[in-house]
């Protein structure tokens, strides 16, 4: 029996849908998108754009983005992809370029098929794609120009072996892990070469993490270090 609180079915919108009040059109959905999403250099929108670019390269952008999925992109091959982005330039005034750093913290995940959560924090993907908006001239910065991006592809197992509990990774530390570096045109090949030959989770049977209001608190940054290799900053 379906519950009135089952997962909401989300269909892809086109942008022409009206925003109405008492039957009168006040604006269109595309107007809202332009208002809310035009700053593509902001951390939030740059990250979502990076997910879309990776999904597009892998032929997995036909549907809609799932906000709380355990991984960012799922492909027809069953590849589970985590996407992280960073940049030298930010929307706000800067005294110097930012130090490119990626988040890599393990997280607890909830399995939608079983209704159970993972007993401990872990990385749920097969592959990480690190997306660097490498352009360093604010006057010509354009995140929609794919020539301004560099992509680094790394098996998740390497992060688990070398950085098991590490929460962030600077670009220099990432390069020491010897990822596959590519531009957008080579991204699909890089992922195909890096991903496991036998995918473990089909795209239709994913896991989603706890919603924000029920998610377990992240581990503190303070306190004694855990066992494991030294962090790759």
């Amino acid at each position: 029996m379906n519950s009135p609180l089952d997962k909401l079915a989300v269909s892809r919108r086109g942008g022409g849908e009206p925003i109405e009040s008492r039957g009168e059109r006040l604006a269109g959905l595309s107007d809202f998108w332009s208002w809310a999403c035009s700053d593509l250099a902001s951390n939030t929108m740059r990250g979502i754009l990076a997910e879309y670019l990776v999904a597009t390269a892998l032929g997995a952008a036909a549907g809609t983005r799932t906000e709380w999925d355990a991984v960012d992109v799922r492909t027809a091959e069953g590849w589970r992809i985590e996407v992280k982005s960073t940049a030298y330039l930010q929307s706000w005034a800067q005294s110097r370029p930012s130090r490119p750093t990626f988040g890599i913290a393990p997280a607890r995940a909830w399995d939608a098929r079983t209704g159970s959560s993972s007993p401990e924090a872990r990385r749920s993907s097969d592959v990480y794609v690190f997306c660097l908006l490498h352009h360093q001239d604010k006057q010509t910065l354009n995140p929609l120009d794919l020539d301004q991006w560099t992509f680094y592809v790394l098996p998740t197992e390497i992060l688990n072996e070398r950085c098991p509990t590490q929460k962030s990774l600077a670009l220099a530390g990432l390069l020491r892990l010897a990822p596959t570096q590519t531009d957008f045109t080579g991204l699909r090949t890089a992922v195909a070469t890096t991903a496991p030959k036998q995918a473990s989770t089909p795209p239709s049977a994913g896991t989603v993490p706890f919603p924000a209001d029920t998610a377990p608190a992240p581990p503190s940054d303070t306190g004694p270090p855990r066992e494991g290799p030294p962090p790759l900053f």
Side-chain angles (χ1 to χ4, degrees), residues 141-227:
L141 180 67
N142 178 13
L144 298 178
D145 180 355
L146 301 188
D147 293 337
Q148 297 188 8
W149 291 84
T150 301
F151 302 88
Y152 303 90
V153 183
L154 190 72
T156 302
E157 64 181 357
I158 291 183
L159 285 180
N160 291 337
E161 291 169 1
R162 301 283 301 278
C163 317
T165 61
Q166 196 165 318
K167 298 175 185 177
S168 63
L169 186 63
L171 178 60
L174 172 62
L175 295 178
R176 287 197 288 273
L177 297 177
T180 299
Q181 179 177 333
T182 182
D183 59 10
F184 180 79
T185 61
L187 184 53
R188 177 174 177 82
T189 298
V191 172
T193 302
T194 304
K197 303 304 180 185
Q198 192 72 23
S200 56
T201 303
S204 60
T207 57
V208 293
F210 290 99
D213 58 351
T214 60
S220 171
D221 287 333
T222 60
R226 299 185 182 182
E227 294 181 359

